[in-house]
Amino acid sequence: MSRFRIVTYNIHKCKGLDGKVRPSRIAAVLRAVDADVAALQEVVSIEGEVRELHQAEYLAHELGMRFAIGENRRHAGGAYGNVVLSRFPLESACNYDISVPGRERRGCLRTDIRLNGAVLHVFNVHLGTAFMERRHQGRKLLHEELLRSGALAGPRVVLGDFNEWTHGLASQLLTVEFQSADIRLHLPTRFTYPGVCPVLHLDHIYYDNTLVLDGVGLYRSRQALVASDHLPLYADFRFGD
């Protein structure tokens, strides 16, 4: 059976709690987590001679992984949005616009990953901060062109920063459609944000029941507590029969 580890991590533009932008710290944290697939949010990728400014490419190179960018808007002259890193081949990538009028542009980055003969569909999500905004986005995610697309041939994993600390509509809809890697069943904490003193549960992982969940972890280290305002949430899966 194929096994893999996947992580969701809002890297906050690689700006740490000390106010310094240090992509090398994010790379070190991800290296310690040792995930096969990483779904990152709030990534800035600026083309140019300074390698660290293109955060997606820098992190992929440092970790020896492939990458796909889901640009939601421009920031400081570069692409800003979600990024997926993968040790396995990326067959395709598509960024879906789940924005709500009058609010910040948001997206869901779908990547199709070839994993030992199987295709894994990874949906990297960063929902909005407003209650009604997330309700609209939850419905958009379950659309036939997105999570319920007939073109999907393998198991789905939906993960990211949902900005939803209560069991709102987005969580309710996804819980009906998917299994939840509920940290309350696997960890001694119910919260993931902010990293230094967690009081909210913003980061989530949902998955199809054709996958078997072997474990969930929230990576904490001195460096991780400074590198971003979020901590990496990871899950270990294997394909079922």
Side-chain angles (χ1 to χ4, degrees):
M1 294 183 184
S2 298
R3 299 173 183 270
F4 64 94
R5 171 172 289 184
I6 190 167
V7 63
T8 176
Y9 189 18
N10 185 326
I11 66 172
H12 194 50
K13 308 182 188 72
C14 293
K15 185 176 182 179
L17 296 187
D18 56 2
K20 298 177 180 178
V21 178
R22 294 283 191 272
S24 59
R25 290 192 297 207
I26 298 296
V29 171
L30 288 170
R31 192 175 293 112
V33 173
D34 195 28
D36 301 296
V37 179
L40 311 179
Q41 302 86 43
E42 294 194 25
V43 186
V44 181
S45 299
I46 303 171
E47 301 282 353
E49 296 182 359
V50 182
R51 198 165 65 94
E52 287 84 354
L53 292 180
H54 197 298
Q55 295 175 357
E57 190 173 78
Y58 173 84
L59 293 172
H61 181 267
E62 290 296 303
L63 298 166
M65 302 175 82
R66 304 164 176 86
F67 73 93
I69 298 176
E71 179 180 339
N72 298 325
R73 61 181 175 88
R74 306 296 287 179
H75 177 83
Y80 174 78
N82 302 332
V83 166
V84 167
L85 309 178
S86 175
R87 287 179 178 158
F88 306 106
L90 295 171
E91 290 200 340
S92 62
C94 179
N95 196 46
Y96 298 91
D97 185 0
I98 58 170
S99 305
V100 173
R103 305 292 302 179
E104 179 182 332
R105 291 184 63 82
R106 300 280 179 171
C108 172
L109 174 61
R110 166 188 157 189
T111 50
D112 300 331
I113 299 173
R114 176 64 62 175
L115 203 164
N116 295 336
V119 176
L120 177 70
H121 304 290
V122 175
F123 294 85
N124 181 6
V125 176
H126 191 188
L127 299 187
T129 56
F131 175 77
M132 292 304 297
E133 179 185 14
R134 291 192 300 274
R135 290 180 66 87
H136 288 297
Q137 290 169 339
R139 295 188 185 99
K140 286 187 176 185
L141 287 175
L142 270 296
H143 197 272
E144 291 179 356
E145 294 181 358
L146 215 158
L147 286 174
R148 290 176 173 169
S149 170
L152 302 179
R156 302 163 295 172
V157 177
V158 187
L159 72 171
D161 179 357
F162 287 79
N163 271 317
E164 195 159 64
W165 52 92
T166 61
H167 198 58
L169 182 63
S171 297
Q172 293 172 33
L173 292 173
L174 289 169
T175 301
V176 171
E177 186 86 4
F178 298 93
Q179 303 293 314
S180 173
D182 194 336
I183 64 170
R184 294 171 297 180
L185 304 179
H186 299 269
L187 302 174
T189 179
R190 296 176 54 199
F191 308 116
T192 65
Y193 175 88
V196 173
C197 185
V199 293
L200 301 174
H201 183 191
L202 304 184
D203 308 287
H204 299 268
I205 301 175
Y206 299 94
Y207 61 97
D208 273 324
N209 58 13
T210 52
L211 295 171
V212 179
L213 178 67
D214 284 332
V216 177
L218 187 66
Y219 180 75
R220 294 176 65 93
S221 70
R222 181 174 297 180
Q223 189 168 48
L225 290 171
V226 177
S228 172
D229 55 352
H230 284 250
L231 290 173
L233 177 67
Y234 64 87
D236 294 318
F237 289 106
R238 54 189 164 92
F239 285 85
D241 294 331

